[in-house]
Amino acid sequence: MDDTTQHDTTEPETTAADPASRPGAGHVVATLLLLALFLVVTATVSLGGVFLPSFTEDCITDAACDRARIGWGSLLAIFGPWLVALVVVIWTTVRMLQRRAARRVPILGTFANLALFALGLWLAASGVG
């Protein structure tokens, strides 16, 4: 017998392109709802960052407060969530176009936005003397 006539009897691996592993319509709807909720959280957190410069009202003298630190904390809380939103929307869209599960991406983005806001809040609060 010739070695070139052997057949491979192993089963092919399932990939994201296989119809059996594609997310269904319910998964797509859930992902889109989570993405919409994520964008609402992003806008809310960013709006909260707008009010962080009001910490300067607690400053009795300029020497007592680090206005630069308050400003950087405010900028982080305002614009950081929108940068995360840009990454999350692109990442979710790519995963959905590849017909891969994408529900976790907006959830992770929500936690990242909350962490950025908390970091900006801490930074601004640490500038008040």
Side-chain angles (χ1 to χ4, degrees), residues 1 4 11 14 18 26 35 38 40-41 47 49 58 61-62 65 67 70-71 73-74 79 93 101 112 122 126-128:
M1 283 185 119
T4 58
E11 294 182 21
T14 57
D18 290 338
L35 193 60
F38 164 73
V40 168
V41 169
L47 181 64
D58 293 336
T61 65
D62 285 339
C65 287
R67 293 184 189 275
I70 295 170
S74 178
F79 296 112
T93 303
W122 172 80
S126 69
V128 178

Side-chain angles (χ1 to χ4, degrees), residues 75-94:
L75 287 175
L76 181 65
I78 293 170
F79 296 112
W82 292 109
L83 292 175
V84 171
L86 180 65
V87 170
V88 165
V89 167
I90 291 171
W91 189 11
T92 302
T93 303
V94 167

